[in-house]
Amino acid sequence: MKQMVLVVGCLMLSWAASAQQLTKKEEKNRSFAGAVARQQQYRVIYQMDSGDPRIIEKVLRNLNNALNDPRLKGKLQAELVAFSGGTDAFLKESKYKDALKQLVDKGVIVAQCANTLKERKIDREQIYDFIGLVPSGNGELILRQAEGWSVIKP
Amino acid sequence: MKQMVLVVGCLMLSWAASAQQLTKKEEKNRSFAGAVARQQQYRVIYQMDSGDPRIIEKVLRNLNNALNDPRLKGKLQAELVAFSGGTDAFLKESKYKDALKQLVDKGVIVAQCANTLKERKIDREQIYDFIGLVPSGNGELILRQAEGWSVIKP
Amino acid sequence: MKQMVLVVGCLMLSWAASAQQLTKKEEKNRSFAGAVARQQQYRVIYQMDSGDPRIIEKVLRNLNNALNDPRLKGKLQAELVAFSGGTDAFLKESKYKDALKQLVDKGVIVAQCANTLKERKIDREQIYDFIGLVPSGNGELILRQAEGWSVIKP
């Protein structure tokens, strides 16, 4: 019994010591749990402008994480725009067909920059048939932000 | 004649099969043609913070693509702010003098972060004479976004 | 005396020649000194999503530069959110403990994406005790932008 008290006492002391390591500001920061969703709807456009497969996969993972965030679930209109190297993800030989189709099926707008196609001499037939086309990816980012959309570059 | 009918029939079938591959959501996505410009004016600030020539050239290409987007043509006030490694583009020995002069001539604000000059011990005389100077590139990005400008990091 | 006049004359001529090199638009651009802070408060969220030490250190440097920008001094509420590779900066074995504590002490919110912890099988005990936790870093970026915060990805 005495030993039990001793052990519990030690644990409490060590806990107190550990807690003491945090200042009030640090305690307050530790308890931060994120911004609160007060709007009925949110809108975001993702910028995919690198052909690095790690970045392409990060974009897809990030976008799905946003769609699944409990604060945004069912409230998020998303768009994915590819330009520059990001166009690689839309080429018919890419390995991202299923992931992209799933996004479209979830209501995400998936669009390609027409400018990049022209610059890289890529025909529309070379990218997946279900992809939309915008005059320029940069123009799209500007217009969306002006409409109040958030923008994320993973 | 019979052969002709056969060929046309085959083509129609193959076209129908191909069309059938797209779901309604995919058809709708394919027909997406970009956000619509409803405002009289748009404003954007470009972040150039890498010394990698591929990134510097991407910034310049992206910015020009935005200026030339048919939806934004003649409606876009743009600013280009360099900090961190992006400063390299403004050094007098860089190869971007003409491209930068052309931007200024088109009315684009082209500015350098004074903080970076101090951190990297670069004198204002070492960058092109026509470049503007802002206290910090990061402060500039924050102020512009607060004023409603879009921001793009290529 | 004659020599003196000659030297001064030459200097003036060379100054005039140098000044003449700038067009009116270039002169105007050179005199640009940055956006003006008219609001009483500004808010920014920094995206730290790379484990590259050069990027982590750039984020910390950029954030501090923003806090110290004379236009924003004492007016800036900032948040730093880590996800993906950026989580490395918060691991207890990282070298950024002091820099992060200083940010918290200055009132910056410093938060980790819970999603990344789950994906990378990292326990909350493995990151610094003073770090806050948000459901997803991407959701946090979207919510903050919707609330009018600026976002910066260094």
Side-chain angles (χ1 to χ4, degrees):
Chain A
M1 181 62 191
K2 261 185 192 171
Q3 275 187 331
M4 187 66 181
V5 169
L6 211 69
V7 167
V8 169
C10 280
L11 281 173
M12 285 177 70
L13 273 172
S14 107
W15 174 83
S18 157
Q20 274 173 358
Q21 280 169 9
L22 295 190
T23 64
K24 281 212 170 158
K25 282 181 176 175
E26 288 168 0
E27 279 290 358
K28 189 184 160 202
N29 189 73
R30 180 185 169 85
S31 69
F32 178 73
V36 178
R38 294 200 168 82
Q39 296 174 205
Q40 285 309 303
Q41 227 220 331
Y42 291 88
R43 296 167 302 170
V44 65
I45 181 164
Y46 276 79
Q47 171 182 351
M48 183 163 69
D49 59 347
S50 164
D52 181 341
R54 288 169 306 177
I55 298 293
I56 292 174
E57 283 152 35
K58 194 181 173 196
V59 172
L60 300 173
R61 204 168 53 241
N62 280 194
L63 177 39
N64 279 300
N65 278 344
L67 291 168
N68 291 325
D69 187 302
R71 297 171 292 177
L72 296 170
K73 195 96 184 173
K75 295 181 172 182
L76 187 62
Q77 167 66 65
E79 179 173 340
L80 169 61
V81 68
F83 58 93
S84 193
T87 304
D88 289 0
F90 292 173
L91 293 174
K92 277 177 179 165
E93 67 262 33
S94 94
K95 55 179 172 178
Y96 305 110
K97 186 180 183 180
D98 289 345
L100 296 170
K101 272 177 166 278
Q102 280 162 23
L103 288 178
V104 171
D105 193 55
K106 286 179 191 171
V108 176
I109 300 169
V110 180
Q112 167 62 35
C113 167
N115 240 352
T116 303
L117 293 190
K118 204 166 58 184
E119 281 169 11
R120 301 192 169 205
K121 304 189 196 324
I122 296 169
D123 197 86
R124 185 172 183 170
E125 298 307 304
Q126 292 173 259
I127 64 170
Y128 294 120
D129 295 331
F130 56 85
I131 305 288
L133 215 55
V134 299
S136 82
N138 275 258
E140 191 70 7
L141 291 177
I142 293 165
L143 287 165
R144 288 312 198 185
Q145 285 183 82
E147 290 175 355
W149 293 47
S150 301
V151 60
I152 295 183
K153 174 186 166 75
Chain B
M1 181 60 189
K2 260 187 193 170
Q3 274 188 330
M4 187 66 178
V5 169
L6 211 67
V7 166
V8 169
C10 279
L11 281 173
M12 284 178 69
L13 273 172
S14 108
W15 172 83
S18 158
Q20 274 172 358
Q21 280 168 9
L22 294 191
T23 64
K24 281 214 169 154
K25 282 182 176 174
E26 287 167 1
E27 279 290 359
K28 189 183 160 204
N29 189 72
R30 180 184 168 85
S31 69
F32 178 74
V36 177
R38 295 199 168 83
Q39 297 175 203
Q40 285 310 304
Q41 227 219 332
Y42 290 89
R43 296 166 302 170
V44 66
I45 181 164
Y46 276 79
Q47 170 181 351
M48 183 163 67
D49 60 347
S50 164
D52 181 341
R54 290 168 305 176
I55 297 294
I56 291 173
E57 282 151 35
K58 194 181 174 195
V59 172
L60 300 173
R61 202 169 55 241
N62 281 193
L63 178 38
N64 279 301
N65 277 344
L67 291 168
N68 291 327
D69 188 303
R71 299 172 290 178
L72 296 171
K73 196 99 183 171
K75 295 181 173 183
L76 188 60
Q77 166 67 65
E79 179 173 340
L80 169 60
V81 67
F83 59 94
S84 193
T87 305
D88 289 1
F90 291 173
L91 292 174
K92 277 177 179 165
E93 68 262 34
S94 95
K95 54 179 172 179
Y96 305 110
K97 186 180 181 178
D98 289 345
L100 295 170
K101 271 176 167 281
Q102 279 163 24
L103 288 179
V104 170
D105 193 56
K106 287 179 191 171
V108 176
I109 300 170
V110 179
Q112 166 63 35
C113 166
N115 239 352
T116 302
L117 294 189
K118 204 167 59 182
E119 281 168 11
R120 302 193 168 203
K121 303 191 196 323
I122 297 169
D123 198 87
R124 185 171 184 171
E125 298 307 304
Q126 292 173 257
I127 64 170
Y128 294 121
D129 295 331
F130 57 84
I131 305 289
L133 214 56
V134 299
S136 82
N138 275 258
E140 191 70 7
L141 290 177
I142 293 165
L143 287 164
R144 287 311 198 187
Q145 286 183 81
E147 289 174 357
W149 292 48
S150 301
V151 60
I152 295 183
K153 174 186 167 75
Chain C
M1 182 61 190
K2 262 186 189 168
Q3 274 187 331
M4 186 66 180
V5 170
L6 212 68
V7 167
V8 169
C10 279
L11 281 174
M12 283 177 71
L13 273 172
S14 106
W15 173 83
S18 156
Q20 273 172 359
Q21 282 169 6
L22 294 190
T23 64
K24 280 214 172 159
K25 281 183 178 174
E26 287 168 359
E27 280 290 358
K28 189 183 160 205
N29 189 71
R30 181 185 168 83
S31 69
F32 178 73
V36 177
R38 294 199 168 83
Q39 297 176 202
Q40 285 309 303
Q41 227 219 330
Y42 291 88
R43 296 166 302 170
V44 66
I45 181 163
Y46 275 79
Q47 171 181 351
M48 182 163 69
D49 59 347
S50 163
D52 181 341
R54 289 168 305 178
I55 298 294
I56 292 175
E57 282 152 34
K58 193 181 175 197
V59 172
L60 300 173
R61 203 168 54 241
N62 280 195
L63 178 39
N64 279 299
N65 278 344
L67 291 169
N68 292 326
D69 187 302
R71 298 172 291 178
L72 295 171
K73 195 98 183 172
K75 294 180 173 182
L76 187 61
Q77 167 67 65
E79 180 173 338
L80 168 61
V81 68
F83 59 93
S84 193
T87 304
D88 289 1
F90 292 173
L91 293 174
K92 278 176 178 164
E93 67 262 33
S94 93
K95 54 179 172 178
Y96 305 109
K97 187 180 181 179
D98 289 346
L100 295 170
K101 272 176 167 278
Q102 279 162 25
L103 289 179
V104 171
D105 193 55
K106 285 178 192 171
V108 176
I109 300 169
V110 180
Q112 167 62 35
C113 166
N115 239 353
T116 303
L117 294 189
K118 205 167 57 183
E119 281 168 11
R120 302 194 169 203
K121 303 191 197 322
I122 297 169
D123 197 87
R124 186 171 183 172
E125 297 308 304
Q126 292 173 259
I127 63 170
Y128 294 121
D129 295 329
F130 56 84
I131 305 288
L133 214 55
V134 299
S136 82
N138 276 258
E140 191 71 8
L141 291 176
I142 293 166
L143 287 165
R144 288 313 199 188
Q145 285 183 84
E147 289 174 356
W149 292 48
S150 302
V151 60
I152 296 182
K153 174 186 167 78

